[in-house]
Structure formats: C-alpha cells, structure tokens
Amino acid sequence: MVNDKKEWFTIEKIDESTFAISEYKHWEETHCFLLIGEDKSLLIDTGLGVANILEQVQNLTDKHVTAVTTHVHYDHFGGHKYFPDFYVHETEQEWINGGFPLTIEQVRNFLTEEPCDFPKDFDVNKYSLFKGVPTRVLRDKDSIELGGRTVRVLHTPGHSPGHICLYEESRGYLYTGDLVYMGDLFAYFPSTDPVAYMNSIKKLLPLSVKRILPAHHDLNVPLSIIRDMDKAFSGLYESGKLKHGSGTFHYSNFGIKL
Ligand SMILES: [Zn+2]
Ligand SMILES: [Zn+2]
C-alpha cells in the first residue's frame, strides 16, 4: 500500500472498537492492533519505535492501555517505552529486558534497509532497544480480559521461541504476528526453529477464524493461507528440507526463508 501522507502512522478501522496502526513508510509495513474493551484497551505490538505511537492510541481510546508483544523483535516492541503496563510470553522475558541476541548495530542495519522514509526528527544513531520488566508473564492458553472482550494466548514458537498468536474467538479474529502474513516468512535466523514453525501453523488449523490480522504487509489475508502454509511446511518437512540453510521457497502468496 502506498501512503503519500506526511504522517508516519496510518490508522485503519477493522470494526468500531478495533484498529490497525500501521507503519507503511518502512519496508516491513508493520501493523499494531488496538482493541478497545469495556474496561481497558489492549495494544498488540508497539511497532518500530521511531515515532510516538502513544499519541495515535490516545486519539482512539481514553481507557487504560496494556501493551502485549507477539514476540520480542525490534519491530514489535519499539514503542513499549510509552506503555509501562506490558505483557510478554515467559520464554522471551529475558529478551525484553536486555537479553535480545542481536547487537544494536545489527538491529540498526535491519531498521535502515530500503525502502524507508523516517520522520525528520528521527536519529538512527540514538535508536536503542527498550528494556523492561513485564507486568504479567504469559503462558499458552492464558486469557487477557478487556471487559466484554476476551483474548486468548496461543504459544506459537518457530519464528522466535516465545512467539504468540492472539485469538479473539467471539469475533473470529486471529492476530498472527510474524507467524502468518503475505510475504517471505523468516525461519532462517539462528533463533528460529523451522520444525516448531510447522507445528505452530498446525495449531491454528482447528480455530474458527473469520479474519487474519497479520503484523506485516497486506491486511487482507485469505483465510486459506493457513491451510496452504501447513501444506508447504509439511511438504518441506517430508522432503528433508525443513532446516536452516535450505534456501527460500516460493508459494502462491507467501515464501518460506530457511
Ligand atoms: Zn519477527
Ligand atoms: Zn516482524
């Protein structure tokens, strides 16, 4: 999607109380999602942290906001500095408190890949990773209650060890983070696990999903993609290729980078 507006963030309404807050001016096209409940709001991921996402959130809700990250990669917790109340999966609580396995130089190199068109006041040399202690540590099958809305935690490792998807059964919304999106799926970093990735996709098959809300790229994801990804991962597994270093494999609307 091309965004020629001046603003760094683009807001799109999913429904009356659910919004996507997107960073289309950066090559990753990251999406964060704001869920407004009766008692409080939940912000799923906080983006790159190169512009103030809190201002965007405050335009949409005056309720208390808890942040939750689908996983501790820089493009998903960059704005955590604005949200002292945040949750993270137990496996990545060390990562979010200074233990992330890449150096800041490596992170800055990813961040500044083209295309990107940063806000004028952003200085990459001052970019640092958020560090903090979560207010709640999440485990598989936990629930997050927002008042009239319940979000279930699904531990879906593979892209990263503590990756979670969030499932809102009443609306059929599945927030898939970096596990499912249209584009090349990353399963080649040393901290990824391609077989765990396959098993996490299988975990999504029984859910009654009406809408997939991914953390990157096109927001209109066909529901069939979960089944297609399952077939693709299973095929690679059966042919002995589901391991680091096998290369990139292309399918109809996604790729798998091993
Ligand atoms: Zn990631
Ligand atoms: Zn990501």
Side-chain angles (χ1 to χ4, degrees):
M1 174 173 166
V2 178
N3 172 17
D4 53 15
K5 283 186 240 148
K6 270 196 293 212
E7 292 79 24
W8 176 257
F9 295 106
T10 301
I11 312 292
E12 285 164 273
K13 192 187 204 179
I14 308 298
D15 64 33
E16 290 304 314
S17 51
T18 311
F19 297 87
I21 305 174
S22 308
E23 298 183 293
Y24 287 115
K25 296 193 149 207
H26 185 259
W27 63 275
E28 292 202 81
E29 300 181 317
T30 301
H31 307 293
C32 306
F33 296 97
L34 181 69
L35 285 59
I36 303 172
E38 287 160 18
D39 301 331
K40 69 170 191 174
S41 296
L42 185 71
L43 182 62
I44 299 176
D45 290 335
T46 59
L48 293 166
V50 310
N52 188 339
I53 193 170
L54 177 63
E55 287 172 2
Q56 307 296 322
V57 169
Q58 286 174 332
N59 287 337
L60 298 165
T61 181
D62 53 8
K63 300 218 163 79
H64 173 80
V65 180
T66 297
V68 60
T69 188
T70 55
H71 63 299
V72 181
H73 280 168
Y74 73 98
D75 47 325
H76 300 264
F77 72 108
H80 269 47
K81 56 193 169 209
Y82 303 111
F83 302 94
D85 179 19
F86 71 90
Y87 302 167
V88 70
H89 187 267
E90 57 178 342
T91 313
E92 290 182 5
Q93 52 180 320
E94 307 281 318
W95 280 16
I96 209 162
N97 201 15
F100 186 67
L102 293 185
T103 64
I104 191 66
E105 288 74 25
Q106 287 172 305
V107 170
R108 285 178 186 153
N109 286 340
F110 271 113
L111 178 69
T112 52
E113 272 178 36
E114 296 287 329
C116 64
D117 179 15
F118 289 124
K120 278 201 177 60
D121 59 354
F122 172 68
D123 179 358
V124 70
N125 296 309
K126 291 189 184 140
Y127 187 80
S128 59
L129 292 179
F130 168 85
K131 285 181 198 168
V133 176
T135 45
R136 182 176 165 193
V137 169
L138 299 172
R139 292 176 181 82
D140 190 40
K141 300 190 181 84
D142 276 357
S143 287
I144 302 171
E145 300 293 339
L146 307 181
R149 294 181 85 161
T150 303
V151 178
R152 203 195 323 152
V153 174
L154 305 170
H155 183 212
T156 49
H159 174 77
S160 75
H163 188 285
I164 56 172
C165 290
L166 293 156
Y167 180 48
E168 214 181 345
E169 192 171 10
S170 61
R171 298 182 196 216
Y173 292 170
L174 182 64
Y175 305 89
T176 52
D178 280 6
L179 190 77
V180 173
Y181 56 71
M182 300 217 286
D184 283 349
L185 305 174
F186 286 15
Y188 68 93
F189 305 131
S191 53
T192 64
D193 179 340
V195 174
Y197 206 127
M198 172 181 73
N199 291 329
S200 291
I201 297 282
K202 287 191 187 303
K203 207 167 166 176
L204 307 181
L205 291 170
L207 305 176
S208 304
V209 179
K210 296 195 185 87
R211 176 124 196 215
I212 293 170
L213 295 158
H216 297 287
H217 309 307
D218 201 324
L219 276 178
N220 298 302
V221 181
L223 298 178
S224 55
I225 203 168
I226 297 175
R227 212 154 282 284
D228 293 344
M229 284 180 179
D230 176 45
K231 272 193 215 127
F233 273 95
S234 301
L236 290 169
Y237 180 73
E238 281 153 24
S239 59
K241 292 182 189 141
L242 193 59
K243 53 180 197 271
H244 290 152
S246 290
T248 303
F249 299 85
H250 298 283
Y251 302 90
S252 54
N253 46 20
F254 63 94
I256 300 175
K257 210 168 170 180
L258 293 165

